[in-house]
Amino acid sequence: MPILLILTLLIRLIIWPLVKVLSFFGPLKDRVRFERRNLKEAQCISFSQTHERADVLFHFSSEGEFEQIKSLLEVLLVRGHKLELVFTSPSVESKVQAFSKSYDDQIRYLRLPIIEFFPFIIGQNLLHWSTAKKMVMVRYDFFPELLTLGSKLSRFVLYSASMKSSTNQGLGWLVKKIIYESFSDVFCATDRDYKFFSGALDTVNIHPALDLRSLQISKRQKNFHKNELASSLKELFDVKEKSDRLCLAQFWPEESDVFKDERFVEAIKSGEKFVYLAPHKLSREFLEEITERISEITKDLKVYILDRNASSQDISDVLKKYKERPGLVISCLPGLLCEIYPMFPSVYVGGGFGKGVHSLLEAFMADTRILCGPGVHRSTEYDLIIDSGYKVAIVEDLKKLGSYVVNIQDEKKSQLDISEFLSHNEMEMNKLVKILDNHNA
């Protein structure tokens, strides 16, 4: 492994002049601008500048990965640990900044220097910036500097390891196996991942499936009543009994074929079913594309829209109009989808007719009936849910989704007690906390 890392760092050194020239153009220029914000913000200054040292460094790429480990970060911060957060994608930048403000003495963060990275002293260099004794990687941004750093520390942990990759086979596996063996501990995403890695890696501590995000989701759903819009939304949903509600979540314009089901549309228009649609994107253009497609399919379906800045009064106004003339409610309210899932007996999660279904875990934690399109092959959350004994209804034809929901009986949705699932994850998280908490480990 050290030889492989040295070779990759040597390649980075050789191509560095070319990368610097290309960084003046196109997407690389935007990336450089992003990475150089590290030089301007106080919480990007290394702990070493104040003669301090972090206990653990966490690397994650996206907003979803940050949400997965947020509950673990909070536990460690409450225990007084100093943490370094390194992230790859600009999409998670604002979330990290907002989170870090509450712990400004305990957190330093860094946008991963990819273009700006230089193996020696000049330029931005993660290896010189970090002071941590241990490191946790969330998933698979296997940049050589990250692996080099982790291999030098007392504990190097991979969280949410998954076998769902074509490179975990054949020649690709020979390289990946070397990388995996650089970790001291691997916490798996699902039970089938645990079986795979337990049989494939001999020199690494392989831990059972752990989903930290479930703990964060549970906390959010339990605390929804504290949200300023909670009471008005509940009043809106209560226009129908819970058994007569449906949430179309993470919805794409291409999925509007569901409104080709005349029986389904009639159930919405008559007020037999209350349908709440949450688009995957909240931009005006995306919303307009959805509404235009729906209007092309069914001309007389009334559509009520809650924009992203809607107030409690706006929600009450929609409720009043809905009572006079039932219709479809489309909501662009940000950051509330996870919290409202428990108010619906059935949730259709979008994306399954495109590149892949979106997050199923939030609906799973709400103990609701889950429906989605056939594109589940890339979803580790789908595997986790199925392995847990939960049934996910795969919808092959969107034009039949409406009739299915309208006619569905309130059969038992799950063979799983969600509290048991949470207890398992809390137990496994405590094992991880102990690893990171133990100064001698």
Side-chain angles (χ1 to χ4, degrees):
M1 186 63 174
I3 295 176
L4 181 63
L5 292 173
I6 290 171
L7 286 174
T8 54
L9 289 174
L10 182 60
I11 293 171
R12 292 286 293 275
L13 177 62
I14 294 171
I15 67 173
W16 187 76
L18 175 61
V19 171
K20 293 302 291 183
V21 171
L22 294 176
S23 69
F24 289 100
F25 308 97
L28 291 188
K29 184 177 180 180
D30 293 335
R31 180 72 199 186
V32 168
R33 188 180 297 116
F34 169 68
E35 293 178 11
R36 285 184 179 172
R37 289 203 279 272
N38 288 333
L39 306 176
K40 301 175 182 178
E41 297 174 18
Q43 280 193 273
C44 295
I45 297 173
S46 172
F47 275 119
S48 65
Q49 297 297 310
T50 53
H51 306 288
E52 298 175 280
R53 186 167 184 176
D55 298 291
V56 188
L57 180 146
F58 286 86
H59 171 266
F60 46 90
S61 176
S62 63
E63 183 178 345
E65 292 176 356
F66 174 63
E67 289 297 330
Q68 285 188 55
I69 60 166
K70 196 172 180 181
S71 57
L72 174 61
L73 299 178
E74 290 172 342
V75 169
L76 293 172
L77 289 165
V78 167
R79 290 171 177 246
H81 289 284
K82 287 182 168 61
L83 305 180
E84 294 170 339
L85 308 182
V86 178
F87 57 97
T88 307
S89 172
S91 66
V92 72
E93 180 181 31
S94 60
K95 287 287 183 86
V96 171
Q97 290 172 321
F99 180 77
S100 301
K101 280 183 180 178
S102 301
Y103 306 95
D104 56 352
D105 293 333
Q106 292 176 261
I107 290 180
R108 297 290 181 270
Y109 61 79
L110 191 75
R111 301 159 184 84
L112 182 65
I114 300 174
I115 308 301
E116 291 283 283
F117 175 81
F118 192 70
F120 300 115
I121 300 299
I122 66 172
Q124 295 193 53
N125 192 317
L126 173 68
L127 303 176
H128 296 132
W129 179 85
S130 176
T131 64
K133 307 167 187 174
K134 301 175 184 179
M135 179 174 170
V136 178
M137 281 191 68
V138 184
R139 290 299 181 104
Y140 302 120
D141 271 2
F142 289 151
F143 290 100
E145 54 269 35
L146 288 169
L147 297 174
T148 300
L149 176 61
S151 65
K152 299 191 303 180
L153 303 180
S154 63
R155 213 71 182 241
F156 189 22
V157 179
L158 176 62
Y159 166 72
S160 198
S162 172
M163 58 179 281
K164 292 179 82 72
S165 171
S166 58
T167 57
N168 282 343
Q169 305 172 30
L171 293 176
W173 172 245
L174 296 178
V175 177
K176 288 284 283 289
K177 188 172 188 287
I178 294 172
I179 293 174
Y180 285 128
E181 288 178 340
S182 69
F183 292 92
S184 59
D185 298 84
V186 169
F187 283 80
C188 300
T190 69
D191 289 338
R192 66 184 72 182
D193 295 319
Y194 176 63
K195 292 176 183 177
F196 172 80
F197 287 108
S198 295
L201 303 176
D202 299 324
T203 60
V204 182
N205 297 316
I206 307 298
H207 300 268
L210 167 60
D211 191 280
L212 292 168
R213 187 164 169 256
S214 64
L215 305 177
Q216 188 71 16
I217 292 170
S218 178
K219 181 179 177 181
R220 287 175 60 185
Q221 291 177 345
K222 287 178 180 176
N223 290 333
F224 178 54
H225 65 279
K226 299 178 182 178
N227 189 285
E228 61 181 356
L229 299 179
S231 58
S232 52
L233 281 172
K234 185 177 185 303
E235 189 177 356
L236 174 63
F237 300 148
D238 283 344
V239 73
K240 293 297 297 182
E241 294 292 328
K242 182 176 179 180
S243 59
D244 293 321
R245 305 173 198 162
L246 168 68
C247 180
L248 300 174
Q250 302 287 354
F251 199 82
W252 284 80
E254 307 87 84
E255 293 170 306
S256 298
D257 277 359
V258 65
F259 296 101
K260 290 182 177 179
D261 186 331
E262 294 180 4
R263 173 73 181 89
F264 179 54
V265 173
E266 189 57 40
I268 300 173
K269 289 162 55 178
S270 67
E272 179 186 347
K273 292 290 180 182
F274 175 83
V275 178
Y276 182 95
L277 188 154
H280 175 62
K281 298 178 183 178
L282 304 183
S283 68
R284 183 168 298 278
E285 295 78 14
F286 196 79
L287 174 62
E288 287 176 352
E289 189 175 354
I290 290 176
T291 54
E292 286 173 6
R293 291 216 185 187
I294 293 174
S295 64
E296 289 171 1
I297 294 170
T298 174
K299 302 294 184 182
D300 58 349
L301 175 63
K302 182 64 178 176
V303 175
Y304 300 101
I305 295 176
L306 294 171
D307 65 38
R308 60 184 307 143
N309 298 313
S311 64
S312 292
Q313 185 58 53
D314 294 327
I315 297 172
S316 297
D317 290 343
V318 166
L319 174 59
K320 182 179 178 180
K321 294 174 183 177
Y322 180 93
K323 288 180 177 179
E324 296 172 356
R325 182 184 174 185
L328 172 68
V329 177
I330 299 181
S331 172
C332 294
L333 292 169
L336 291 176
L337 194 55
C338 167
E339 285 83 346
I340 66 171
Y341 278 151
M343 301 182 190
F344 293 88
S346 301
V347 172
Y348 169 81
V349 180
F353 286 89
K355 292 183 179 180
V357 68
H358 296 298
S359 175
L360 300 169
L361 191 63
E362 294 171 351
F364 172 63
M365 293 304 300
D367 197 17
T368 184
R369 187 182 294 106
I370 304 172
L371 306 98
C372 68
V376 297
H377 60 283
R378 297 172 58 189
S379 174
T380 55
E381 291 187 0
Y382 176 80
D383 292 341
L384 172 69
I385 293 168
I386 294 299
D387 290 349
S388 298
Y390 219 85
K391 183 183 291 185
V392 175
I394 303 296
V395 179
E396 300 289 348
D397 184 352
L398 275 171
K399 294 187 288 293
K400 296 180 180 179
L401 170 63
S403 293
Y404 175 79
V405 173
V406 169
N407 298 320
I408 197 169
Q409 300 298 313
D410 192 23
E411 81 272 8
K412 185 174 177 60
K413 302 179 291 296
S414 166
Q415 303 171 19
L416 175 74
D417 183 349
I418 295 297
S419 63
E420 291 182 6
F421 178 72
L422 279 172
S423 296
H424 166 80
N425 284 305
E426 286 172 352
M427 181 178 67
E428 291 303 319
M429 184 181 77
N430 289 335
K431 291 181 182 178
L432 178 51
V433 169
K434 188 175 181 180
I435 290 172
L436 302 178
D437 213 14
N438 185 352
H439 294 284
N440 297 319

